[in-house]
Amino acid sequence: MKDSASRRGAVAVVLVGVFASSLDVLIVNIAFPDLERSFPSASLTNLSWVLSAYAITFAALLMPGGRWADQSGRKRAYLTGLALFTVASACCAAAPTLGVLVAARVLQGLGAALMMPSSLGLLLALFPSERRGTAIGLWTAVSGSGAALAPPIGGLLVQLDWRWAFLVNIPLGVVAWFVGVRTLPEVRERSRSVPDVLGILVLAATVAALVAAIVQGPDWGWGGPRVLGLIAVGLLGGAFTVRRAFRHPAPVIEPAILRIRVVALGNLATLLFFAGFGAMISASTLFLTGMWDHSVLRGALEVAPGPVVATVCAVPASLLATRYGVRVVGMCGGAVFAAGGVWWAVVTDGTPDYAASFLPGSVIGGIGVGLMLPCLSTAATLSLPPERFATGTAMNTMCRQVGSALGVAVVAAVLDARPGVSGYHTAFLIMAACGVAGGLALLAIGAERGRIPANGTALSAPATGRTV
């Protein structure tokens, strides 16, 4: 174990990358009006790719990035991703044209897809086994707060210029890279095998097609040929990936991982809950700026209490999950999150009253997020052997991204059909339903516990249900 100062530096390096890669999924959304002014000749569809390019690339390359990190070394993967992300941020900030900006966002997504899968495995290696609950709590608190704090941070930065949303990554990335070279431990899979290159390419294309269909559906039309074509590509690619998983000796998605009940249900719960999370972030921000006509900066700051509460609650919630089990704490978190959505659906109306109607729902929802996030990460990864942590983290993060994209797309469709207060109330109820569904998926884990050893063979063992 490294000395205390070196270990703290290594932990900080990992958390910086986790926060930045989560933040950049949504931070540009708040800068959209400024982008329109900077590129006045660009159509709204072309501008939307500044937002979509990162999300699609990030989601599509998570699983390949996780497999590469497990096999080639998590330190190498993390630092490579951090370097790419930092360079891409500089390119985004200096982009003279919209095409350069979109290309740089793709490179950013590639860097993030290398950082995120390796980050949890590196973090767990820096903590003794009895403190893994704290490590997971830190990871989930930082990754969740990165996504949730994107609107207020973006709102503050774009007051200077939209380019500051990218410039802020550069000094953090440079310092973190140099510290990481000196302090991060190298962790890799003990037995290497030839990767399934074709499977990796097909899976990346499959996820990219599905996420692109979800993200662009509101603009392109859900029944349009482009969206239907992307969905068809995704379905065919998914069928090929499943078939390949059972035939290739080293598939990108190992069936043994998904045979573990805890892992499978943990990823299902993540997909469902983050659909509600995406609905919450988009609907609440649009409600404040659209229905109540608050400024972008004011609306961004008004959503901040929820993410702050979630960050504060995440580490204690992880310790509670270690003691009482993810199914109990996760179900409570899903129910509390849902209560926040129901509060907004019942109490808010067209008359602005932030303190009495919006703020309580934000705090209640934030508590639910803080309770839920560590349970999702624990369920989806901790039953795996250490040499599969990067792959498991990649799968869980991919479910987060796909779920968030689904939630945002559903809210966009609802508000397009019903732009008034009733539409927002429906969006808040969708948020609540997804929270309950995610909690029920964790509750379904029961007392079963599974683990796969290094050779990929699934094992199941009884457990008390108190730890996962």
Side-chain angles (χ1 to χ4, degrees):
M1 178 64 66
K2 296 176 177 288
D3 62 76
S4 180
S6 180
R7 186 178 70 88
R8 286 196 297 270
V11 169
V13 165
V14 173
L15 296 181
V16 163
V18 170
F19 183 82
S21 56
S22 299
L23 183 75
D24 272 51
V25 175
L26 296 172
I27 193 171
V28 185
N29 292 41
I30 208 77
F32 202 78
D34 293 71
L35 289 172
E36 290 182 283
R37 287 190 288 272
S38 292
F39 305 107
S41 62
S43 67
L44 289 177
T45 299
N46 290 335
L47 280 171
S48 71
W49 281 102
V50 178
L51 316 179
S52 304
Y54 180 89
I56 293 170
T57 307
F58 186 24
L61 297 180
L62 278 164
M63 284 300 298
R67 288 295 285 148
W68 184 68
D70 277 335
Q71 293 186 327
S72 300
R74 289 177 204 150
K75 177 179 180 178
R76 176 188 296 180
Y78 183 84
L79 292 177
T80 300
L82 181 60
L84 284 173
F85 186 87
T86 305
V87 170
S89 296
C91 294
C92 288
T97 66
L98 182 62
V100 172
L101 179 57
V102 171
R105 287 284 280 170
V106 171
L107 186 62
Q108 259 196 325
L110 171 59
L114 291 175
M115 281 195 294
M116 282 296 284
S118 51
S119 59
L120 183 56
L122 285 172
L123 198 63
L124 290 171
L126 295 166
F127 284 78
S129 58
E130 66 272 13
R131 295 192 62 201
R132 279 185 170 176
T134 302
I136 291 175
L138 281 172
W139 189 89
T140 53
V142 171
S143 61
S145 63
L149 287 171
I153 292 176
L156 290 170
L157 291 174
V158 299
Q159 299 304 303
L160 301 172
D161 191 279
W162 64 263
R163 298 179 190 274
W164 276 96
F166 302 109
L167 286 170
V168 71
N169 295 327
I170 299 172
L172 290 174
V174 170
V175 172
W177 191 89
F178 280 104
V179 175
V181 168
R182 297 171 58 88
T183 61
L184 288 175
E186 183 57 282
V187 184
R188 62 168 54 90
E189 187 177 328
R190 289 191 294 271
S191 58
R192 298 192 183 187
S193 54
V194 179
D196 180 12
V197 177
L198 178 59
I200 287 172
L201 294 175
V202 171
L203 178 62
T206 298
V207 177
L210 290 174
V211 175
I214 294 168
V215 170
Q216 298 298 130
D219 291 331
W220 289 352
W222 293 105
R226 287 182 290 183
V227 171
L228 293 177
L230 288 170
I231 292 174
V233 169
L235 292 175
L236 291 172
F240 178 88
T241 299
V242 171
R243 185 173 182 270
R244 191 82 169 175
F246 288 96
R247 291 173 176 260
H248 196 276
V252 63
I253 296 180
E254 298 169 281
I257 291 178
L258 292 179
R259 289 193 189 106
I260 302 174
R261 180 182 178 86
V262 176
V263 174
L265 287 172
N267 282 304
L268 175 61
T270 300
L271 181 72
L272 294 169
F273 181 78
F274 268 84
F277 185 84
M280 177 193 71
I281 293 295
S282 58
S284 60
T285 304
L286 289 172
F287 180 81
L288 291 168
T289 58
M291 185 55 57
W292 283 1
D293 201 29
H294 290 180
S295 69
V296 170
L297 177 59
R298 180 177 175 181
L301 293 176
E302 285 175 335
V303 301
V308 171
V309 170
T311 303
V312 170
C313 291
V315 174
S318 183
L319 299 178
L320 287 173
T322 301
R323 181 170 182 178
Y324 298 107
V326 297
R327 53 194 303 267
V328 175
V329 179
M331 185 65 243
C332 291
V336 174
F337 178 79
V342 171
W343 175 280
W344 280 338
V346 172
V347 177
T348 58
D349 56 31
T351 303
D353 191 356
Y354 176 74
S357 64
F358 189 88
L359 181 60
S362 182
V363 172
I364 294 169
I367 293 171
V369 172
L371 290 172
M372 194 67 161
L373 289 184
C375 295
L376 297 173
S377 299
T378 299
T381 59
L382 209 56
S383 292
L384 301 174
E387 60 271 18
R388 292 294 188 274
F389 277 149
T391 303
T393 303
M395 186 178 299
N396 188 244
T397 308
M398 184 178 71
C399 289
R400 288 186 177 205
Q401 299 310 312
V402 174
S404 295
L406 273 171
V408 172
V410 169
V411 166
V414 168
L415 296 181
D416 184 58
R418 301 168 64 187
V421 173
S422 63
Y424 285 101
H425 287 173
T426 300
F428 294 143
L429 290 176
I430 290 171
M431 161 194 161
C434 291
V436 172
L440 289 173
L442 288 181
L443 191 64
I445 288 172
E448 188 175 346
R449 182 179 180 179
R451 184 179 180 86
I452 63 169
N455 62 10
T457 304
L459 298 176
S460 295
T464 64
R466 288 181 172 266
T467 59
V468 176

